Amino acid sequence: MKVKNKKNVAKAISAIGKTHKIKRNKIKRLTEKKGKKKKISKKALIEVGLKNEKQKPKAKVQTTQPIINDNLIKLTNISYKGAPENTTPSLYKQQKKVDGDKTPTSFIQRMKDKLKGARFRYLNEQFYSSSSQEALLYFKKEPSAFKAYHNGYMQQVTQWPVKPLDVIIRQIKPILKKSNVNLPVVVADFGCGDAKLARAFPKVKIHSFDLVAVNQYVTAGDMAHTSLANGSVDIAVFCLSLMGTNLQSFIKEANRVLKTGGLMKIAEVESRFDNISTFADSLAKYGFEKIKVDQTIEMFVFMDFKKTQDISKTALKKKLPILELKPCIYKKR
């Protein structure tokens, strides 16, 4: 019996050895392929009994906050530079700087700006194809339209290399400084906008005219027909305001209100002229002598004229030349 048992034990040991040999051979086949070692997969290790099939349970994460989708967090957690900390996430995103602007703008604000610009360009085109009287009637019906036009215009001004009104202010400043109670210098600003000229010289008598009064300095009305007395003005200013189909009416009105020897200053976009010299020479028929034409400043033309003749009595008898300027079309930005 003992011998028998020893034989059985030997058989059992042999069987175990064969089993391990089979497993070792399986592992060898899995790890050796064409002389290169290969990473053993989890499935293969489970097959040969060297890895437990059961997985460790994942640790539970305890939190008092609700679980939110990562994509939603990425979408809503975009903030703009300068936003206060610990605020509700917003859809504002910092934009690239455009034209020197240091303040990032939101997508919504940029869309609003585009709409404002589109409306401004539309109104601007309407002005050049209608008379001042027609424009005045329109703005009386749609007062918000002038505000939209004015805001759009001011936005365009910020893009210009030079502001024409600033040039005119510098030029007439020495004259206005001489104004006093005994010898006042009177100015008429035709198409004044927000009356920057009047605000720059509060002690000088400056009449500011435009289609709509945006502040207390402006007199609303058709600048082709003002309430000023004949020969009561020393300086007449047209800064980017020779618009509409009846711009010759503005020049005639300037001749009426200016004193003989008075100064008329015109600033316009250079591209509006077919021929600058022809336009300047045509004003001689309206009672003005050309003093100076300056084309040295980028984009603009500055003209100075002296009133030499009163044409109010002869305007109907003489055939005055038609004055025309091309529309000023603003590009989309």
Side-chain angles (χ1 to χ4, degrees), residues 59-225:
K60 291 183 179 180
V61 178
Q62 293 183 350
T63 177
T64 55
Q65 298 294 330
I67 297 172
I68 303 174
N69 185 282
D70 286 344
N71 292 330
L72 183 61
I73 293 172
K74 290 176 183 177
L75 177 65
T76 57
N77 198 27
I78 301 171
S79 61
Y80 60 93
K81 187 178 179 181
E85 295 181 357
N86 301 323
T87 55
T88 305
S90 68
L91 288 175
Y92 285 95
K93 183 177 181 180
Q94 185 172 347
Q95 304 297 326
K96 292 181 179 178
K97 295 177 183 178
V98 179
D99 294 328
D101 183 15
K102 295 181 180 179
T103 307
T105 55
S106 70
F107 171 79
I108 295 171
Q109 186 59 47
R110 283 185 288 123
M111 290 302 101
K112 285 182 179 179
D113 289 342
K114 283 185 179 293
L115 290 173
K116 286 179 184 177
R119 192 178 186 192
F120 163 72
R121 287 188 294 273
Y122 170 77
L123 291 170
N124 184 66
E125 289 173 12
Q126 300 311 305
F127 285 166
Y128 286 106
S129 60
S130 60
S131 68
S132 56
Q133 188 62 35
E134 289 170 335
L136 180 63
L137 291 173
Y138 174 74
F139 284 130
K140 282 184 177 179
K141 292 179 182 178
E142 300 288 341
S144 64
F146 186 82
K147 185 178 179 181
Y149 173 80
H150 179 69
N151 291 340
Y153 172 78
M154 296 308 294
Q155 188 175 356
Q156 292 293 329
V157 169
T158 61
Q159 310 295 327
W160 294 343
V162 176
K163 296 177 178 60
L165 187 57
D166 290 344
V167 175
I168 290 176
I169 288 173
R170 286 198 304 270
Q171 290 174 347
I172 65 174
K173 189 175 182 179
I175 301 172
L176 299 186
K177 277 186 174 181
K178 297 176 183 179
S179 179
N180 55 60
V181 177
N182 297 325
L183 193 62
V185 177
V186 181
V187 181
D189 187 2
F190 293 92
C192 65
D194 60 358
K196 182 178 179 179
L197 183 59
R199 291 184 288 113
F201 302 98
K203 294 182 180 180
V204 179
K205 184 62 177 177
I206 298 179
H207 301 280
S208 304
F209 301 102
D210 215 319
L211 295 168
V212 175
V214 297
N215 56 43
Q216 71 272 23
Y217 296 94
V218 183
T219 299
D222 183 358
M223 66 184 191
H225 306 284

Side-chain angles (χ1 to χ4, degrees), residues 311-327:
I311 64 166
S312 59
K313 295 179 181 178
T314 59
L316 296 175
K317 296 178 183 179
K318 291 183 178 180
K319 189 176 181 181
L320 296 172
I322 295 174
L323 301 175
E324 290 182 332
L325 292 176
K326 292 184 286 187

